[in-house]
Amino acid sequence: MNRFFIISTVILALAVAGCSTDKDSLQSNQDSDQGENSQEDQSNEDKNKGEEKVINLEVQETHWMFNDNIMRDAWTYNGTLPGEEIRVQEGDTVILNVKNALDVPTALHLHGFPVPNEMDGVPGVTQNAIMPGEEFTYEYQANIPGTYWYHSHQDSATQVGNGLYGVFIVEPTDQESYDLDETLVIDEISSMEMMNMSEMGHGEMDMDDIDHGNMDDMDHGEMNTDDISHNELMNKMYDTMIINGKASPQIEFIQVEEGNRVKLRFLNAGLFTQVVSIPGHSFKITHYDGQPVNEPDILNDTAFRIAPAERFEVEMQMDNPGAWGIQVFAEENQDKLNVLIPIIYHGFEGEELYTVDEASVFFDFTAYGESQALTIGDVTKEFDMILGTNDGGETFTINDKQFPNHEIYEVEEGDVVKYTIVNETEVDHPMHLHGEFFYVISKDGIPIQGSPVLKDTINVKPGEAYEILVAATNPGNWLFHCHELHHAGGGMVAEIQYKGFTPLFTPESEVSNQPE
Ligand SMILES: [Cu+2]
């Protein structure tokens, strides 16, 4: 642990944020009071009968201040970025009314939660896109606790990139109590004028449309050459980390008291694999993608990687007073994409942040927690999922096929399906399955040694191979795609189809459905 000399802007942030300390702590007291009350209410009720929670979301264009210097036209749910955190209790019925006030079609996908197929929000696969001015109502039974998120699944690289995402939490009826339960949504933006990267072929990039003033560190000539890979372009484009929609120095700090028991829910809503280091405290990783880890061990001086769309829940005891900075950086683009999330003990406001000098040990989910036998049954079907690329990194494939001429895996209800996922490219692919969780059972041929790993997104690094098992219990047509959304846009999308399943909707030809 070394002292980290922070830039003056962070101190400024603390000074600014410090003004609202009283209000913040009052707010958090109110929140925890409400939490206790609703928990008592809940325990007095029949645990299977929840309430009906109605949430109205308007998809709209919003001027959003990322900090005092960066303002952009973002696309938001109800005018905030991220959209409001939706917290419901296990057993609730959730009704989400989505109204589209944009001038392009949209749709809402509830990521990770096993919804009925017609509620999955994938245009052209499970519904027609919600046209401008129209509404669509999603209804879910919140019967599986966890940390999930909602986001657009229409032209995702553009729409999620513009800000259409938010966190969705289902609290279990036996929710443990924490002094603080904070959600930290990691994302990155380009501080340049907004551009539509998914439509930006390398040869088409029109430099006249870009605010040159913000591009001082770019080699303009290089941008038009063909030898720049998608990855290099990404690293040039994205230069600013945001946490809960705010860039430094306006990132809201987490205020704690000595003795607090704290839960942090990390979500990566962006496009880069991020490294997270928590300084000065031991911690446990209690959930992957919202699902519990069996008997998690205590970790010290250990960084964990969180890939696009993944969630990690961390539990820690606040026993080391000070002003700390949780370090988050993109491994592939560390110079530009790095940030400290201040976590400050009462009485240490305005002090310099201590953080981790360098990540030394990396978390390994294949050998974490206690092993437990799976009761999923014997494998009935096996498929390969080979992740590839061609055209110099312009297109991305699964089994050499590119969406919409994509790989279709046919399964039957009751199948236990094994997929072997192999990454033959040189970049990460966080692969996300809709509709069902999967168990990761091996990495590079070596079985998982620790807790069962139940996830909805698995990051497959270059050269890696994973085996996963899916119990086919939720009939429908489900996408299985890369969550680096430009890769999905470039074709890295497969689909699982249940034999005999017929979607409840008819694709309308005049509707512009763009599921990838
Ligand atoms: Cu990918």
Side-chain angles (χ1 to χ4, degrees):
M1 191 70 53
N2 287 3
R3 192 170 190 106
F4 183 88
F5 295 97
I6 53 161
I7 48 176
S8 59
T9 49
V10 176
I11 299 172
L12 215 160
L14 296 177
V16 171
C19 301
S20 60
T21 299
D22 291 343
K23 188 179 131 280
D24 286 348
S25 59
L26 183 69
Q27 185 63 42
S28 84
N29 285 340
Q30 284 173 349
D31 287 345
S32 62
D33 284 351
Q34 283 168 3
E36 279 164 25
N37 288 341
S38 63
Q39 218 169 7
E40 280 166 20
D41 293 347
Q42 187 72 41
S43 62
N44 291 334
E45 292 172 12
D46 178 349
K47 288 196 173 182
N48 296 320
K49 272 193 212 162
E51 297 169 18
E52 185 175 279
K53 302 272 172 70
V54 180
I55 297 130
N56 299 311
L57 295 178
E58 185 174 276
V59 189
Q60 55 182 243
E61 189 165 301
T62 307
H63 295 298
W64 186 253
M65 298 295 296
F66 290 94
N67 62 21
D68 287 343
N69 297 316
I70 307 173
M71 196 275 284
R72 246 180 39 176
D73 288 332
W75 290 354
T76 66
Y77 295 108
N78 292 350
T80 67
L81 195 166
E84 67 178 286
E85 180 175 294
I86 298 171
R87 265 188 203 245
V88 300
Q89 275 66 50
E90 182 181 359
D92 285 349
T93 298
V94 182
I95 294 171
L96 267 184
N97 296 311
V98 178
K99 182 174 186 207
N100 184 6
L102 294 176
D103 56 10
V104 294
T106 192
L108 185 142
H109 169 60
L110 183 50
H111 183 117
F113 192 83
V115 298
N117 193 244
E118 68 272 20
M119 294 291 140
D120 199 38
V122 182
V125 178
T126 67
Q127 68 171 96
N128 286 306
I130 311 167
M131 297 304 283
E134 292 188 352
E135 285 190 52
F136 190 92
T137 297
Y138 297 91
E139 186 172 330
Y140 322 108
Q141 296 303 318
N143 46 14
I144 303 179
T147 305
Y148 308 100
W149 60 306
Y150 59 96
H151 64 77
S152 171
H153 219 291
Q154 166 82 3
D155 185 14
S156 308
T158 303
Q159 298 205 355
V160 180
N162 283 354
L164 289 179
Y165 60 80
V167 172
F168 183 98
I169 294 167
V170 180
E171 294 185 334
T173 49
D174 58 349
Q175 171 79 25
E176 282 189 66
S177 72
Y178 294 92
D179 298 300
L180 202 64
D181 179 347
E182 288 279 331
T183 304
L184 297 166
V185 185
I186 302 164
D187 192 7
E188 64 283 317
I189 56 170
S190 164
S191 63
M192 292 186 282
E193 290 290 296
M194 214 157 62
M195 291 187 292
N196 184 340
M197 271 200 68
S198 67
E199 289 176 3
M200 194 174 67
H202 296 171
E204 298 160 20
M205 187 164 175
D206 183 356
M207 301 305 291
D208 292 328
D209 288 339
I210 299 167
D211 179 357
H212 289 233
N214 289 327
M215 293 183 67
D216 293 342
D217 59 341
M218 277 199 174
D219 178 345
H220 292 198
E222 198 184 342
M223 295 298 281
N224 281 325
T225 62
D226 288 334
D227 58 8
I228 182 167
S229 71
H230 170 76
N231 224 35
E232 288 167 322
L233 184 63
M234 291 275 296
N235 288 343
K236 283 183 178 292
M237 286 280 304
Y238 291 95
D239 57 6
T240 305
M241 297 279 300
I242 57 171
I243 303 294
N244 294 340
K246 292 291 179 181
S248 199
Q250 257 83 44
I251 293 170
E252 206 169 311
F253 72 87
I254 304 164
Q255 173 141 43
V256 296
E257 308 269 353
E258 188 172 3
N260 278 175
R261 192 159 164 265
V262 172
K263 181 182 183 75
L264 301 178
R265 302 173 193 253
F266 292 87
L267 157 67
N268 187 345
L271 301 168
F272 292 80
T273 301
Q274 302 282 352
V275 174
V276 179
S277 300
I278 297 175
H281 295 76
S282 55
F283 64 95
K284 289 179 188 173
I285 292 174
T286 61
H287 296 73
Y288 309 132
D289 295 351
Q291 304 312 305
V293 175
N294 185 39
E295 297 184 41
D297 310 307
I298 291 172
L299 298 165
N300 285 296
D301 299 324
T302 303
F304 61 90
R305 292 188 177 90
I306 180 167
E310 284 189 311
R311 285 89 65 211
F312 277 83
E313 287 167 53
V314 163
E315 183 185 299
M316 55 200 279
Q317 194 71 33
M318 304 313 295
D319 56 5
N320 193 0
W324 302 95
I326 298 174
Q327 187 185 66
V328 183
F329 66 85
E331 219 167 6
E332 302 298 321
N333 195 10
Q334 189 174 352
D335 289 345
K336 289 179 181 169
L337 296 180
N338 66 83
V339 74
L340 294 180
I341 305 170
I343 180 163
I344 315 279
Y345 282 71
H346 188 70
F348 286 80
E349 295 85 353
E351 304 217 348
E352 290 183 10
L353 300 183
Y354 283 87
T355 190
V356 177
D357 192 38
E358 201 175 323
S360 49
V361 180
F362 278 91
F363 176 69
D364 175 11
F365 73 81
T366 68
Y368 182 65
E370 285 299 310
S371 168
Q372 211 174 22
L374 302 184
T375 54
I376 193 169
D378 295 332
V379 172
T380 59
K381 280 199 175 71
E382 295 191 34
F383 296 116
D384 287 330
M385 175 175 260
I386 309 299
L387 310 177
T389 185
N390 53 36
D391 301 333
E394 294 269 340
T395 64
F396 294 90
T397 57
I398 292 174
N399 297 345
D400 292 324
K401 296 177 186 171
Q402 185 188 12
F403 190 86
N405 301 307
H406 55 298
E407 184 69 88
I408 291 174
Y409 299 110
E410 193 173 271
V411 305
E412 291 179 66
E413 193 171 358
D415 272 341
V416 175
V417 187
K418 182 164 97 175
Y419 297 87
T420 302
I421 312 175
V422 179
N423 183 354
E424 295 186 344
T425 77
E426 292 175 355
V427 291
D428 287 14
H429 297 296
M431 300 304 296
H432 168 50
L433 173 63
H434 286 223
E436 282 156 340
F437 300 105
F438 53 79
Y439 284 105
V440 180
I441 58 165
S442 79
K443 176 186 179 184
D444 298 334
I446 300 167
I448 297 295
Q449 307 291 315
S451 165
V453 179
L454 187 61
K455 293 182 100 304
D456 58 62
T457 306
I458 177 75
N459 189 35
V460 188
K461 288 187 154 293
E464 285 183 346
Y466 286 96
E467 289 175 308
I468 65 167
L469 292 184
V470 185
T473 56
N474 193 7
N477 296 329
W478 304 106
L479 292 193
F480 197 163
H481 67 92
C482 184
H483 225 285
E484 205 289 33
L485 296 170
H486 297 117
H487 298 176
M492 193 170 270
V493 177
E495 185 177 348
I496 287 148
Q497 294 186 348
Y498 274 64
K499 206 174 166 186
F501 176 83
T502 310
L504 295 174
F505 83 109
T506 308
E508 289 171 15
S509 57
E510 69 269 26
V511 174
S512 171
N513 290 320
Q514 287 182 266
E516 71 278 22

